[in-house]
């Protein structure tokens, strides 16, 4: 019988354990209302997690998501404050994402800069641009009701946020598993040289995944602006860590090629549930990063240990 | 490609091989001189003795951390946690000083904290076989959390003895103490890299791990030690900066999300190191820190807002990495050209 891999079971096991522990620790945790609440507030993490999955799949990383999110949120808040039509705001947000993703992609592919360094610099630059845009403080005022309805409204009796989460995961699942582009993403991550020999334009695929990541981050920025109704230049700090946590828990390999959107989904749920649980138990928000940090370290250590053992076994067999 | 080849003054290197060896250092020195001369015209205050001493002192903090970062980058790693290390060390030492603990014990405790952080980073990266930037990003997050929880997000101040303040604010002759410490550390590091087995092992581990392993280097131990050195140097830098103010503020050293670590990385990369390891020198790192220090001293003097400064810093880092990776491309092309010829 084939030995069951811990790393594949780990995310689901964590989710189940979390639900059991959560319902013991807090009375209000295990209820439909709370779960709906968790998913509704998971929109930003889910979108950024999906984007990060695509980037990690090709062996890259995108640390600039938090800053791109912040920039798009202040820009969309500014537009909403001056009563610009919704479709125009949407287009601008997508354009911001496209531009940031293109820059990241070009820096990584054409200029051969290590992805984490290029996106780290972008993170710094976009954060500075965001502060320059608002002049330092938040942009406040009254935004139109239709802008708030983007995230707060209900469609068919369910909060819009839940619909976005469902749509995003379904779309990502389709793109990654059922399209040629998705296969190419897998191929480039599995072995860039090999995929090139098979005629895949690896650079193009890489630029595309950075664009996906940045556009999703920009959309999250729009949702955050709609949620809080102001343009807060400090929003989105630490989101790159949230995304990495989601992917690590979801079993997405940091070196590329391995992972699935289902893993990302489970990872998102685990991360958002941990956060929800910590809030329900009144754990200090400053202490929360310590817990999530420890979770990333332990999970990735378990996974990497298994990989090493597997390699050792292979060597022995040979 | 012929164009690329013609840009490089090949004849220059052929006659004087030592110039080739110090190509990077010479280029940065020239750049520093140019920036220095230009700065003088941009701001009348720049060349005053006060400002120059201030510049040197600010450079010292970055330079000490950058030398530590150099070891880690040399072995092909990276440490994104030094900003958080500086914070946690600052907090611990100020807390102990306010509680009336003696200076010796405080410094020892601070160094112990740094040692622990470095050991953790190094052991998790090498024995856990994880990517260094992920591990150090996580330890950064954890340390920032610890600092915020322990300090309650508020600044810590109180009766800090004058002798402790002298470490950061004092002078030896007319030179600020941090600058003296920087020179001592730089000279020690220079000799360690040149004259000791450990220094040579750092180089060989960085340029070819497998070769290092087969020639009898304990690669893992060398790597862990590099992270330990990096954290310790960050600790020294943190002690010097916190002793100057005599109080701790939980938000000072991580302006935005990226703080000290980016300054240090920029200095190292500007100094000619490659992020894939095996390249660069202590002198280059020192010069990189000086160049970075001059620029960040100059910007406020000519009235550039702090947000634009951050923007420019981002671009400097990008340019530095770009140039170091461009160098890689050029070398590959030149090699291919030699093969064809």
């Amino acid at each position: 019988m084939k030995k069951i891999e811990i790393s594949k079971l780990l995310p689901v096991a964590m989710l189940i354990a979390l639900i059991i522990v959560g319902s013991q620790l807090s009375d209000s945790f295990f209820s439909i209302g709370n779960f709906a609440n968790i998913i509704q507030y998971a929109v930003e993490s889910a979108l950024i997690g999906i984007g990060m999955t695509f980037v990690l799949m090709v062996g890259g990383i995108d640390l600039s998501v938090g800053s791109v999110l912040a920039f798009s949120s202040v820009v969309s808040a500014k537009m909403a404050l001056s009563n610009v039509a919704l479709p125009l705001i949407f287009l601008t947000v997508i354009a911001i994402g496209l531009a940031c993703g293109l820059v990241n992609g070009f820096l990584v592919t054409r200029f051969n800069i290590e992805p984490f360094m290029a996106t780290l610099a972008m993170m710094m630059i976009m954060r500075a641009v965001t502060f320059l845009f608002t002049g330092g403080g938040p942009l406040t005022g009254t935004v139109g009701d239709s802008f708030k309805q983007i995230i707060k409204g209900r469609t068919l009796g369910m909060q819009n946020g839940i619909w976005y989460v469902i749509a995003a995961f379904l779309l990502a699942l389709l793109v990654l598993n059922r399209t040629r582009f998705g296969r190419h993403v897998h191929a480039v991550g599995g072995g860039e040289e090999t995929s090139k020999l098979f005629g895949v334009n690896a650079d193009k695929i890489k630029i595309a995944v950075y664009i996906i990541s940045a556009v999703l981050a920009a959309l999250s920025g729009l949702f955050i602006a709609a949620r809080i109704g102001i343009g807060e230049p400090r929003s989105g700090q630490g989101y790159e860590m949230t995304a990495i946590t989601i992917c690590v828990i979801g079993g997405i390999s940091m070196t590329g090629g391995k992972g699935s959107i289902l893993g990302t989904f489970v990872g998102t749920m685990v991360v958002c549930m941990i956060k929800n649980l910590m809030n329900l138990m009144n754990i200090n928000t400053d202490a929360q990063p310590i817990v999530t940090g420890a979770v990333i370290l332990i999970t990735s250590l378990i996974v990497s240990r298994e990989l090493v053992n597997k390699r050792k076994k292979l060597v022995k067999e040979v | 490609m012929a164009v690329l080849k013609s840009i490089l003054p090949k004849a220059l290197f052929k006659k004087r091989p030592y110039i080739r060896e110090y190509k990077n250092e010479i280029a940065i020195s020239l750049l520093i001189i140019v920036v220095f001369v230009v700065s003088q015209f941009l701001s009348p205050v720049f060349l005053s003795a006060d400002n120059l001493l201030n510049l040197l002192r600010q450079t010292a903090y970055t330079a000490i951390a950058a030398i530590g970062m150099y070891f880690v980058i040399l072995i092909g790693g990276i440490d994104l946690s030094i900003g958080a290390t500086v914070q946690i060390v600052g907090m611990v030492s100020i807390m102990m000083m306010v509680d009336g603990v003696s200076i010796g014990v405080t410094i020892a405790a601070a160094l112990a904290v740094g040692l622990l952080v470095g050991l953790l980073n190094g052991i998790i990266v090498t024995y856990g076989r994880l990517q260094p930037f992920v591990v150090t990003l996580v330890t950064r997050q954890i340390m920032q959390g610890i600092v915020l929880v322990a300090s309650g997000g508020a600044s810590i101040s109180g009766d800090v003895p004058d002798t402790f303040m002298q470490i950061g604010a004092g002078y030896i002759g007319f030179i600020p103490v941090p600058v003296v410490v920087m020179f001592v550390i730089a000279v020690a590091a220079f000799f360690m890299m040149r004259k000791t087995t450990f220094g040579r092992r750092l180089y060989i581990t960085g340029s070819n791990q497998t070769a290092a392993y087969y020639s009898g280097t304990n690669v893992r131990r060398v790597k862990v030690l590099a992270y330990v050195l990096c954290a310790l140097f960050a600790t020294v830098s943190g002690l010097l900066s916190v002793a100057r103010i005599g109080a701790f503020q939980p938000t000072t050293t991580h302006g935005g999300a990226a703080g000290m670590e980016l300054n240090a990385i920029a200095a190292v990369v500007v100094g000619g190191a490659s992020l894939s390891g095996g390249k660069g020198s202590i002198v280059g790192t020192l010069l990189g820190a000086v160049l970075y220090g001059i620029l960040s001293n100059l910007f406020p003097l000519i009235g550039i807002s702090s947000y634009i400064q951050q923007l420019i810093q981002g671009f400097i880092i990008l340019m530095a990495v770009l140039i170091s990776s461009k160098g890689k491309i050029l070398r590959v092309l030149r090699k291919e050209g030699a093969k064809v010829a």
Side-chain angles (χ1 to χ4, degrees), chain B residues 71 74-76 197-213 215 217-224 226 276-278:
Chain B
F71 298 129
L74 186 63
I75 56 145
T197 334
F198 177 66
R200 303 320 291 174
R201 287 201 162 140
L202 275 173
Y203 261 118
I204 191 179
T205 306
S207 43
N208 190 335
Q209 261 192 64
T210 324
Y213 178 76
S215 63
T217 303
N218 188 339
V219 174
R220 284 177 163 179
R221 198 169 63 194
V222 168
K223 280 186 164 181
V224 173
S276 40

Side-chain angles (χ1 to χ4, degrees), chain B residues 24-40 46-47 52 55-56 59 267 270-271 283-295 298:
Chain B
N24 249 316
E25 284 81 349
I26 293 169
I28 309 166
S29 309
L30 289 176
L31 200 58
I32 289 176
I33 294 170
V34 171
V35 172
F36 208 83
V37 171
V38 173
S39 314
Q40 192 191 334
F46 181 78
L47 219 54
L52 285 182
L55 185 153
L56 268 178
T59 304
V270 168
V283 179
T285 303
L286 210 55
L287 290 171
V290 170
L291 182 60
Y292 202 78
I294 293 178
L295 289 179
L298 183 66

Side-chain angles (χ1 to χ4, degrees), chain A residues 86 89-90 145-155 159-161 164 219 222-223 226-227:
Chain A
L86 275 188
I89 299 183
F90 257 106
D145 210 37
S146 58
F147 184 67
K148 282 185 187 164
Q149 288 299 320
I150 294 177
I151 194 85
K152 287 191 176 147
R154 282 167 179 266
T155 314
Q159 286 101 325
N160 282 349
Y164 294 141
L219 279 175
L222 172 66
F223 293 148
R227 217 192 274 287

Side-chain angles (χ1 to χ4, degrees), chain A residues 111 241 254 289 292-293 304 308, chain B residues 128-129 131 134 138 141 322 325:
Chain A
F111 295 106
M241 287 312 292
M254 296 298 271
T292 46
S304 115
V308 171
Chain B
R129 295 182 196 233
Q131 277 170 319
V134 179
V138 173
Q141 182 185 335
L322 205 60
S325 75

Side-chain angles (χ1 to χ4, degrees), chain A residues 61 111-114 117 120-121 123-125 128-129 131 136 241 254 286 289-290 292-293 297 300-301 304 308, chain B residues 128-131 133-134 137-138 141-142 145-146 148-149 257 262 265 275 307-308 311 313-314 317-318 321-322 325:
Chain A
I61 190 136
F111 295 106
N112 261 334
I113 301 181
E114 263 107 327
M117 212 54 228
L120 203 61
M123 162 173 138
M124 225 174 144
I125 291 170
V129 169
F131 275 110
M241 287 312 292
M254 296 298 271
D286 292 333
I290 306 176
T292 46
L297 271 190
S300 49
L301 277 175
S304 115
V308 171
Chain B
R129 295 182 196 233
L130 294 176
Q131 277 170 319
F133 78 91
V134 179
L137 215 52
V138 173
Q141 182 185 335
I142 293 176
I146 292 175
L148 282 178
V149 171
L262 281 176
I265 293 170
L275 283 176
Y307 301 131
I308 298 184
L311 196 69
Q313 277 178 347
I317 292 167
L318 216 49
V321 189
L322 205 60
S325 75

